[in-house]
Amino acid sequence: MNIKPLADRVVIKMQEAEETTKSGIVLAGSAKEKPQIAEIVAVGPGGYVDGKEIKMHVKEGDKVLTSKYAGTEVKIDGNEYTILRQDDIPVSYTHLTLPTKRIV
């Protein structure tokens, strides 16, 4: 992928969260909630936005949690990505394993 976001923009690829019921039934994609876990695939250079200097605190390869409906979804070369501002990423982590969400 050859995307270069501008200013304080970040391109992320959402991770598919497998959801299962207590009995072990895997739910279809249409029954799942929108995932909030993503990996950063491209980061803008930062710079000045509205007269304020923006330093980028995330880098390619970081895992992040995002707001459910943040950003703009795009499809490039058959892959789905989301472009959003760094401000829309409340949490970045590197060595955290999140459990699979279970539905009661």
Side-chain angles (χ1 to χ4, degrees):
M1 180 186 76
N2 194 13
I3 290 181
K4 294 183 181 180
L6 303 175
D8 66 335
R9 300 289 201 269
V10 176
V11 179
I12 60 173
K13 182 169 178 69
M14 299 305 251
Q15 293 184 352
E16 290 296 322
E18 182 177 287
E19 295 184 15
T20 58
T21 62
K22 280 188 175 183
S23 61
I25 298 171
V26 178
L27 297 176
S30 60
K32 295 180 189 178
E33 287 185 23
K34 184 175 177 178
Q36 292 178 264
I37 302 168
E39 181 175 351
I40 296 180
V41 295
V43 178
Y48 289 89
V49 176
D50 296 330
K52 298 178 191 173
E53 183 179 9
I54 304 294
K55 293 183 181 179
M56 300 306 284
H57 300 287
V58 294
K59 62 184 182 308
E60 290 182 27
D62 282 355
K63 303 279 193 252
V64 295
L65 300 179
T66 65
S67 303
K68 275 190 181 183
Y69 303 104
T72 303
E73 295 177 358
V74 295
K75 196 171 212 178
I76 301 170
D77 297 330
N79 295 314
E80 292 184 13
Y81 299 100
T82 304
I83 301 171
L84 59 140
R85 290 182 176 267
Q86 179 177 243
D87 288 348
D88 291 330
I89 301 173
V91 177
S92 172
Y93 63 93
T94 53
H95 302 292
L96 178 66
T97 303
L98 296 176
T100 300
K101 182 178 179 183
R102 294 204 172 262
I103 297 175
V104 180

